[in-house]
Amino acid sequence: MQLVIQRLIDHIKKIYPIETEKLGLLEPFFEHRTYKKKEVLLSEGSRCYEKFFIAKGCTHIYYVRKNGTEQTIDFAIEDWWTSDFMAFQQGAAAQFSIRAIETTEVLCISTDRQRELLDKIPELNGYFHLVFQKAYAASQMRFRTLYELSKEELYHDFSRQFPAFMQRVPQYLLASFLGFTPEYLSEIRKKYLP
Amino acid sequence: MQLVIQRLIDHIKKIYPIETEKLGLLEPFFEHRTYKKKEVLLSEGSRCYEKFFIAKGCTHIYYVRKNGTEQTIDFAIEDWWTSDFMAFQQGAAAQFSIRAIETTEVLCISTDRQRELLDKIPELNGYFHLVFQKAYAASQMRFRTLYELSKEELYHDFSRQFPAFMQRVPQYLLASFLGFTPEYLSEIRKKYLP
């Protein structure tokens, strides 16, 4: 637990100044969980009342299409928060699932515990303000990318911006995220292999 | 000024509880501006150090494609905050422009003034935490929509979710936002006119 809490504390300090003493109070509000590769953190249709700070590992968030295939809409790695945030905010049924791509250690907090935590350390609102502003800002850039780039350009943009992902994420998930068939992704990769 | 500040205060109270007395301190931190239809609030390439609360009116956020045409990526109406938030957060050059679609009254705050405001009323971080969490949550849903729906379905989904927009937003901007040509949008509308 100590190491993962320290990772969260370091992330908070990097983004928003809060006294070390106060951050010492964080631990009991969180649950430390380890998910094995392919284990599910959140299931579409179940009530979503938790959000997850990734201390180690990698997850993807997806929904199931009418034809039964999974569509990945995003990934999360170390120092990211992940959840179905609409469902989390409303305490509603999740419209997405989240699954570990590799062994993943998270700090998990429920809506109720978060309410208590923010009562105790209201300064954390300053941290979350900036975390979500940045997440939303990244979405604005991603919409631009989606309008602007061809499928092949999307692949290059992604590999340029997130080289670490290219190593960690299985090809079929990357293809899903980019809106490709796995075959199309494989063709592009062959074309540009050194 | 009084009416527009009251609109912001009402919005804050709806989202996050802050004492009325404290909210009485808001006014001097904001600049009240009125933009005429087609006037520009933010220009791509200029340094972005302001964000805007829409008290009345409607704006769109867009960038200019290599071929010179404008691509609208989003709209904002009453009670929404709009800016290029990546540029705002970093004090960097904007990668988007924002323009009034109709006469628009905003409350504008700069990064510096916001810092002072949040020092004075740190509770506002709780408000912005929830505002941006919701904006990010809406992005997650929009990514799902973009993966899931055909162009024709996108149109119906948008008109069902945001009927007010259909009346207020010019057709060519709606077409741009949905990734249509204006001709294609006109075809769809004709097909479904009662």
Side-chain angles (χ1 to χ4, degrees):
Chain A
M1 182 74 165
Q2 224 39 59
L3 273 176
V4 291
I5 277 284
Q6 194 53 50
R7 174 125 202 164
L8 174 57
I9 290 174
D10 290 345
H11 189 245
I12 294 170
K13 283 184 168 172
K14 215 164 66 183
I15 290 186
Y16 193 80
I18 301 182
E19 293 162 40
T20 306
E21 201 177 306
K22 283 194 179 161
L23 294 176
L25 306 171
L26 279 180
E27 187 171 328
F29 291 91
F30 288 91
E31 200 180 314
H32 175 206
R33 290 193 204 145
T34 304
Y35 291 93
K36 278 181 269 186
K37 186 175 169 174
K38 299 218 173 178
E39 251 191 304
V40 167
L41 289 71
L42 173 69
S43 285
E44 195 176 337
S46 67
R47 195 166 73 85
C48 173
Y49 57 94
E50 294 177 329
K51 65 181 191 183
F52 308 92
F53 175 77
I54 314 271
K56 192 172 183 329
C58 184
T59 62
H60 69 126
I61 178 164
Y62 63 95
Y63 68 91
V64 178
R65 285 175 178 279
K66 283 172 204 147
N67 68 9
T69 60
E70 292 177 2
Q71 175 62 55
T72 291
I73 69 144
D74 218 341
F75 301 103
I77 53 167
E78 286 83 9
D79 294 339
W80 293 22
W81 288 90
T82 187
S83 189
D84 174 340
F85 286 104
M86 193 63 86
F88 177 77
Q89 182 150 337
Q90 301 174 344
Q95 301 205 37
F96 298 101
S97 298
I98 299 175
R99 187 195 282 128
I101 293 176
E102 46 190 66
T103 305
T104 298
E105 285 191 67
V106 303
L107 287 171
C108 166
I109 190 163
S110 67
T111 33
D112 289 348
R113 295 299 276 154
Q114 175 170 280
R115 202 173 302 117
E116 293 164 25
L117 174 61
L118 292 172
D119 278 348
K120 193 152 191 167
I121 316 178
E123 294 88 339
L124 282 172
N125 277 309
Y127 164 71
F128 284 121
H129 166 189
L130 294 178
V131 163
F132 281 107
Q133 177 174 275
K134 195 171 171 191
Y136 178 59
S139 295
Q140 288 186 311
M141 290 309 298
R142 186 167 161 206
F143 287 122
R144 177 171 174 148
T145 307
L146 286 176
Y147 282 112
E148 198 166 18
L149 302 185
S150 71
K151 291 200 160 191
E152 203 165 315
E153 287 168 334
L154 272 183
Y155 171 79
H156 290 297
D157 184 66
F158 190 81
S159 51
R160 188 177 52 73
Q161 275 200 66
F162 308 106
F165 271 105
M166 304 299 283
Q167 305 304 319
R168 291 172 77 168
V169 170
Q171 290 307 301
Y172 73 97
L173 289 183
L174 188 59
S176 168
F177 173 72
L178 293 170
F180 298 174
T181 61
E183 294 73 23
Y184 183 76
L185 180 62
S186 163
E187 264 176 50
I188 294 184
R189 287 172 63 92
K190 269 187 216 146
K191 194 165 153 188
Y192 291 97
L193 272 182
Chain B
M1 184 74 166
Q2 222 40 57
L3 273 175
V4 292
I5 277 285
Q6 194 53 51
R7 175 128 201 161
L8 174 58
I9 289 175
D10 290 344
H11 189 245
I12 294 170
K13 282 184 168 175
K14 215 164 68 184
I15 290 184
Y16 193 80
I18 301 182
E19 291 162 44
T20 307
E21 202 177 308
K22 282 195 179 159
L23 294 176
L25 306 171
L26 279 179
E27 189 172 326
F29 291 92
F30 288 91
E31 199 179 316
H32 175 206
R33 289 192 203 146
T34 303
Y35 291 94
K36 278 180 270 185
K37 186 174 168 174
K38 300 217 172 178
E39 253 192 300
V40 166
L41 288 72
L42 173 69
S43 285
E44 195 175 337
S46 68
R47 195 168 72 84
C48 173
Y49 59 93
E50 293 176 331
K51 67 181 188 183
F52 307 93
F53 174 77
I54 314 273
K56 190 170 183 333
C58 184
T59 61
H60 69 125
I61 178 165
Y62 63 95
Y63 68 91
V64 178
R65 285 176 179 278
K66 281 171 204 148
N67 68 9
T69 60
E70 293 177 2
Q71 175 63 55
T72 291
I73 69 143
D74 217 341
F75 301 102
I77 54 167
E78 286 82 8
D79 295 337
W80 292 23
W81 287 90
T82 187
S83 188
D84 174 339
F85 286 105
M86 194 64 87
F88 177 77
Q89 183 151 334
Q90 301 174 342
Q95 302 206 37
F96 297 102
S97 297
I98 298 176
R99 186 195 283 130
I101 295 176
E102 46 190 66
T103 305
T104 298
E105 285 189 66
V106 302
L107 288 171
C108 166
I109 191 163
S110 68
T111 33
D112 289 348
R113 294 300 275 155
Q114 175 169 280
R115 200 173 303 116
E116 294 164 24
L117 174 62
L118 292 172
D119 278 348
K120 192 152 194 168
I121 316 179
E123 294 88 339
L124 282 172
N125 276 310
Y127 164 70
F128 284 120
H129 167 189
L130 294 178
V131 162
F132 281 107
Q133 177 175 273
K134 195 171 171 191
Y136 178 59
S139 295
Q140 288 186 310
M141 291 308 298
R142 186 169 160 204
F143 287 122
R144 175 169 175 150
T145 307
L146 286 176
Y147 282 112
E148 199 168 18
L149 302 185
S150 70
K151 292 202 161 189
E152 204 164 316
E153 287 168 332
L154 272 183
Y155 170 78
H156 291 296
D157 184 67
F158 190 80
S159 50
R160 190 178 48 75
Q161 276 199 66
F162 308 105
F165 271 106
M166 303 299 283
Q167 304 305 318
R168 290 173 77 168
V169 170
Q171 291 306 303
Y172 74 97
L173 289 182
L174 188 59
S176 168
F177 173 72
L178 293 170
F180 299 173
T181 61
E183 294 72 24
Y184 183 75
L185 179 61
S186 161
E187 263 175 51
I188 294 184
R189 287 172 62 94
K190 269 187 217 146
K191 195 165 151 190
Y192 291 97
L193 271 184

